[in-house]
Amino acid sequence: MSTVDIVLAGARGHGRWHLDNIRRLQDKGIVRLAGICELTPLAADEIPDGLGTPEQSPDFGALLDSTGARIAVICTPIPTHTDLALTAARKGVHVLLEKPPAPSYAEFRRMADGVAAAGVACQIGFQSLGSHAVPAIRDMVAEGAIGEVVGIGGAGAWVRAQAYYRRAPWAGKRRLNGVDVIDGVLTNPLAHAVATALALNGSTRAEDVTDIELELLRANDIESDDTSCVRVSTAQGRRITVAATLCAERDDEPYVLVHGTRGRITFWYKQDRVLLQRADHGPEEYEYGRTDLLENLADHLTDGTELLVTPDSTGAFMTVVEAIRQSPDPTPLPAEAWHLIPDEDRRVVPGIDGLVAACADTLSTYSELGATWALPKEVST
């Protein structure tokens, strides 16, 4: 198997995870880090041991040319994704593009169509969709383990300090300098809950979505939403409801819940852990492996392995992003609905943890469950 040369665009922030992952794959002889694109070069101590001294440049296109890289990993601010992916595609360089792939459906289509026209491979970085639990759950459903699927829920309750929104100029923004960003809880930090729920329902393409209902709210002093829920109606006739917050009372593992007529399947997607509960059986718990998406892309180039997360398979997710983009600005929660924990410098919405779980459990929205601060907004698709 030949080693695939890689350029990483965006090596700080979440990019540090990619550096460590590239180091892991480089140790296995699968890839080699040929270049790093950052506006300010990384210091030697910012590059993990074992990665050598990759070429560095703030000019992405020039770096692709000089290194001869075959893959570009793009982990840059959301509004830059489309242009950087197309720069790589025009040079015949294959792409691993971080989620969300774009801040609007128009930008997503421009990226996806341009990549397809260039004939290069593109993988979208929804790592949860590389979990072996995803096909295993589909098999359980196909075998009738929980009867007929009636809907899918998703829940994410995380805590984030106010500094989280100061980490980058685009953090917590809907727009920056007139350009769409759409950095909300459902579109970025807990986007995996939305994408994974859609995938388990078999609703991955844009045409699989028939209607979207949104409740977008914020406790923090930001433009975007930090406490929201979305209910997606699908062409399959089932509904998907995902609730998420960054103002939880305590951090918890996000999950997706498949509801059936005779049971349910819970998937904690960061842990690759599955709980099967069904009529006339005791609970059954399983843990699965995971295929790394960069490794899958490298295998695709070297031996034709099928890509796990193509752009078209994220079209349904992008319709949710577009609905959020087109929605009115998130509603600020009234002062009595949240409080500040001074020692942790974070805002908390009391009771939100249970409310998020109840949305996933009942496929209801915040307002339907009695949250007086939630105002529903319907978006036609």
Side-chain angles (χ1 to χ4, degrees):
M1 182 175 63
S2 59
T3 300
V4 179
D5 281 355
I6 289 179
V7 161
L8 172 62
R12 295 188 172 95
H14 183 59
R16 294 191 188 103
W17 181 90
H18 284 286
L19 279 174
D20 289 336
N21 192 45
I22 291 168
R23 162 67 196 274
R24 181 183 67 83
L25 295 177
Q26 186 163 305
D27 286 349
K28 294 171 68 174
I30 295 170
V31 304
R32 183 183 76 89
L33 183 62
I36 295 173
C37 182
E38 270 286 357
L39 295 179
T40 303
L42 269 64
D45 61 0
E46 292 182 279
I47 301 174
D49 290 342
L51 285 176
T53 54
E55 184 179 343
Q56 298 199 58
S57 171
D59 187 327
F60 182 58
L63 190 60
L64 294 177
D65 289 338
S66 61
T67 59
R70 293 186 66 198
I71 291 177
V73 176
I74 298 173
C75 184
T76 54
I78 301 165
T80 67
H81 284 184
T82 292
D83 284 341
L84 291 179
L86 292 179
T87 295
R90 284 192 291 268
K91 295 178 179 295
V93 178
H94 308 279
V95 176
L96 173 63
L97 182 62
E98 259 300 343
K99 58 80 191 163
S104 70
Y105 194 79
E107 282 292 276
F108 167 70
R109 279 272 44 107
R110 185 165 73 89
M111 179 278 296
D113 293 345
V115 165
V120 300
C122 181
Q123 181 102 281
I124 307 299
F126 283 109
Q127 292 290 340
S128 61
L129 300 184
S131 176
H132 302 165
V134 172
I137 292 169
R138 288 176 178 148
D139 287 345
M140 290 178 195
V141 169
E143 292 162 3
I146 58 170
E148 183 181 349
V149 174
V150 294
I152 312 253
W158 280 357
V159 303
R160 290 294 182 268
Q162 294 185 102
Y164 175 78
Y165 298 107
R166 297 192 293 269
R167 75 191 192 282
W170 54 269
K173 294 287 198 299
R174 281 172 67 79
R175 291 169 192 84
L176 183 64
N177 301 323
V179 177
D180 288 323
V181 176
I182 320 299
D183 179 38
V185 64
L186 294 168
T187 57
N188 194 9
L190 283 157
H192 281 88
V194 179
T196 306
L198 288 163
L200 288 179
N201 193 57
S203 305
T204 57
R205 296 176 178 269
E207 56 267 30
D208 294 327
V209 175
T210 58
D211 190 63
I212 295 172
E213 302 165 75
L214 291 165
E215 294 178 2
L216 305 177
L217 307 119
R218 60 176 179 83
N220 284 280
D221 186 17
I222 56 175
E223 284 183 11
S224 204
D225 55 300
D226 58 34
T227 300
S228 297
C229 65
V230 60
R231 184 160 58 199
V232 181
S233 299
T234 67
Q236 291 88 336
R238 296 187 291 266
R239 286 182 168 183
I240 299 166
T241 302
V242 179
T245 185
L246 299 180
C247 303
E249 293 168 298
R250 59 190 61 82
D251 229 8
D252 203 1
E253 284 293 331
Y255 60 89
V256 172
L257 183 57
V258 184
H259 295 273
T261 53
R262 298 195 309 107
R264 58 168 53 183
I265 301 169
T266 307
F267 174 30
W268 291 272
Y269 59 79
K270 287 178 66 68
Q271 300 176 321
D272 302 310
R273 186 163 60 93
V274 170
L275 176 64
L276 171 61
Q277 297 167 290
R278 51 182 170 163
D280 304 321
H281 290 75
E284 301 165 57
E285 191 163 337
Y286 305 92
E287 291 188 10
Y288 294 91
R290 176 180 292 211
T291 298
D292 177 74
L293 296 184
L294 178 55
E295 186 170 0
N296 174 243
L297 177 56
D299 289 346
H300 175 75
L301 301 185
T302 55
D303 62 21
T305 299
E306 185 176 355
L307 285 179
L308 288 170
V309 194
T310 63
D312 279 350
S313 71
T314 64
F317 170 79
M318 283 305 307
T319 66
V320 175
V321 173
E322 181 66 10
I324 292 170
R325 186 185 77 86
Q326 292 182 351
S327 180
D329 287 346
T331 303
L333 288 173
E336 62 271 17
W338 61 270
H339 65 262
L340 180 71
I341 299 181
D343 291 350
E344 301 176 31
D345 188 34
R346 67 181 180 92
R347 298 186 182 190
V348 174
V349 178
I352 192 62
D353 304 48
L355 198 56
V356 163
C359 288
D361 196 46
T362 64
L363 304 180
S364 303
T365 63
Y366 293 146
S367 60
E368 289 171 346
L369 292 173
T372 56
W373 37 256
L375 300 174
K377 301 180 180 69
E378 290 196 19
V379 181
S380 298
T381 58

